[in-house]
Amino acid sequence: DTAVSQTPKYLVTQMGNDKSIKCEQNLGHDTMYWYKQDSKKFLKIMFSYNNKELIINETVPNRFSPKSPDKAHLNLHINSLELGDSAVYFCASHPGGPNTEAFFGQGTRLTVV
Amino acid sequence: DAKTTQPNSMESNEEEPVHLPCNHSTISGTDYIHWYRQLPSQGPEYVIHGLTSNVNNRMASLAIAEDRKSSTLILHRATLRDAAVYYCILRARFSSNTGKLIFGQGTTLQVKP
């Protein structure tokens, strides 16, 4: 069973569209994250949720809206897509604490044309 | 969060040991040292972590300097599958950041057959 799964794996869409990426973890973790990896390969945190509550919002444009219906799911909705939103988006989950490991999904490659 | 410094790239021959260095001169006494790696087209995956003592697991060993200002990830016998970007990350024990991972540029490891 995949610990952290994201759908879709690939997403190609036109500028101005609205799209969603879904993430589910079956590890029972309380904390989930969204990361963005741009074309230069830098991994940057976007959001962190703990038990369905937003904990961190790293100055992400408000076109990006995470939604956590329960602690096993953290979806990312993006409005009015722009060319600069093209990137690989990774979901991750973590049980909490600095002495434990985080688990990442396989990523969603978003291409805005 | 304390910063880490790693070489941009390293090369190794297959089946030889690899020592990946990381400097973290501003580490605090309660920061854990974590290593993650990202294989091509995959999400980051946990490798190993430690606080003060050297650590071994099935993937690698972590050697931590006595003053904790540097550490070295050791892959005992590199395989082609170990070609990846390796990230050294500090995680604060007492922090309000809910354990978020801050990725630097990492070290790109090439393994030659």
Side-chain angles (χ1 to χ4, degrees), chain B:
Chain B
D1 295 294
K3 189 178 161 133
T4 63
T5 306
Q6 301 176 250
N8 284 336
S9 61
M10 290 185 66
E11 284 184 358
S12 170
N13 293 319
E14 199 176 9
E15 299 190 5
E16 289 186 356
V18 182
H19 290 234
L20 296 160
C22 180
N23 285 321
H24 28 78
S25 57
T26 58
I27 191 172
S28 79
T30 53
D31 286 341
Y32 284 84
I33 303 159
H34 284 247
W35 284 82
Y36 282 73
R37 72 179 184 181
Q38 187 174 20
L39 302 171
S41 301
Q42 297 203 22
E45 65 174 349
Y46 167 83
V47 178
I48 200 166
H49 78 279
L51 184 62
T52 55
S53 305
N54 295 343
V55 183
N56 299 299
N57 67 18
R58 62 175 180 81
M59 288 181 74
S61 296
L62 177 59
I64 301 173
E66 199 168 330
D67 63 4
R68 300 206 332 123
K69 293 185 186 299
S70 65
S71 60
T72 303
L73 179 71
I74 303 166
L75 307 179
H76 295 285
R77 284 180 74 239
T79 68
L80 296 178
R81 198 195 170 275
D82 290 321
V85 181
Y86 287 79
Y87 298 97
C88 169
I89 301 168
L90 301 183
R91 303 192 74 181
R93 184 172 183 181
F94 302 110
S95 171
S96 60
N97 68 14
T98 66
K100 69 178 179 180
L101 295 169
I102 299 176
F103 289 84
Q105 95 283 351
T107 297
T108 300
L109 175 66
Q110 281 187 309
V111 180
K112 297 179 181 177

Side-chain angles (χ1 to χ4, degrees), chain A residues 50-71:
Chain A
N50 184 263
N51 208 6
K52 301 194 297 175
E53 286 191 25
L54 179 66
I55 303 297
I56 296 172
N57 178 344
E58 293 283 339
T59 47
V60 177
N62 57 15
R63 296 184 296 104
F64 291 78
S65 52
K67 293 267 186 336
S68 182
D70 54 65
K71 74 174 195 178

Side-chain angles (χ1 to χ4, degrees), chain A residues 11-24:
Chain A
L11 186 53
V12 181
T13 187
Q14 290 188 325
M15 279 175 55
N17 283 351
D18 303 338
K19 289 292 177 187
S20 292
I21 307 172
K22 294 187 176 181
C23 178
E24 176 182 4

Side-chain angles (χ1 to χ4, degrees), chain A residues 21-90:
Chain A
I21 307 172
K22 294 187 176 181
C23 178
E24 176 182 4
Q25 54 100 357
N26 62 5
L27 299 165
H29 293 165
D30 283 340
T31 305
M32 295 184 72
Y33 308 88
W34 277 108
Y35 281 82
K36 178 181 179 181
Q37 188 166 41
D38 60 24
S39 57
K40 294 183 180 177
K41 304 295 185 184
F42 284 112
L43 267 161
K44 190 172 179 185
I45 189 167
M46 299 173 70
F47 299 104
S48 170
Y49 266 71
N50 184 263
N51 208 6
K52 301 194 297 175
E53 286 191 25
L54 179 66
I55 303 297
I56 296 172
N57 178 344
E58 293 283 339
T59 47
V60 177
N62 57 15
R63 296 184 296 104
F64 291 78
S65 52
K67 293 267 186 336
S68 182
D70 54 65
K71 74 174 195 178
H73 295 85
L74 181 61
N75 303 324
L76 184 64
H77 187 76
I78 316 170
N79 289 328
S80 305
L81 278 154
E82 300 176 357
L83 293 176
D85 298 331
S86 296
V88 183
Y89 293 84
F90 289 99

